[in-house]
Amino acid sequence: DLELVESGGGAVHTGGSLTLSCAASGYTYSSYYMGWFRQAPGKEREGVAVADSAGVATYADSVKGRFTISKDNAKNTLSLQMNDLKPEDSAMYYCAADLSDLEPRDYLKNGMDYWGKGTLVTISS
């Protein structure tokens, strides 16, 4: 079975950094699109960043220039380096995967098929 497990969430102050990690197992990792999504209380889920099977990245405008997604096909891991964090970045962050071949912006908008349980990120001002 496909399994995605996130780690690395925590609490930092505005301007700080965090790195989220996602460990994947149970499938041919390199064939999948992978992504990070987030959802704050009372808000809709938001696509943050997507990496295609080769690791080419697409970002939401809200995080472009501050976040970096990295896909390591050899280690079956996905990471999200988050810099210059803002209070509005506070949310539950989810790792996701999909085997379809859609446009990255479609994944950011509509989500993916497989999801982890999430890791909480809290940014205080």
Side-chain angles (χ1 to χ4, degrees):
D1 292 340
L2 174 62
E3 184 177 20
L4 303 170
V5 180
E6 303 94 336
S7 62
V12 298
H13 292 295
T14 298
S17 298
L18 280 174
T19 300
L20 306 183
S21 297
C22 174
S25 62
Y27 65 105
T28 305
Y29 179 79
S30 62
S31 299
Y32 280 72
Y33 274 73
M34 302 288 297
W36 288 98
F37 296 77
R38 66 187 182 186
Q39 188 165 21
K43 295 188 177 182
E44 292 187 354
R45 185 186 64 207
E46 177 187 16
V48 175
V50 168
D52 68 12
S53 56
V56 177
T58 302
Y59 297 95
D61 290 342
S62 59
V63 305
K64 198 174 296 182
R66 300 188 298 123
F67 290 11
T68 302
I69 187 173
S70 298
K71 187 172 182 276
D72 189 330
N73 288 335
K75 296 182 178 179
N76 284 9
T77 58
L78 183 76
S79 65
L80 185 69
Q81 174 67 44
M82 305 185 294
N83 297 325
D84 190 22
L85 284 161
K86 305 174 181 181
E88 53 264 41
D89 294 318
S90 296
M92 186 71 79
Y93 281 71
Y94 298 91
C95 175
D98 201 291
L99 192 53
S100 304
D101 189 16
L102 304 178
E103 291 294 324
R105 290 286 175 190
D106 290 334
Y107 288 122
L108 288 176
K109 180 180 178 181
N110 299 317
M112 293 182 167
D113 286 342
Y114 302 97
W115 298 88
K117 294 182 178 180
T119 186
L120 184 62
V121 172
T122 303
I123 313 303
S124 58
S125 57

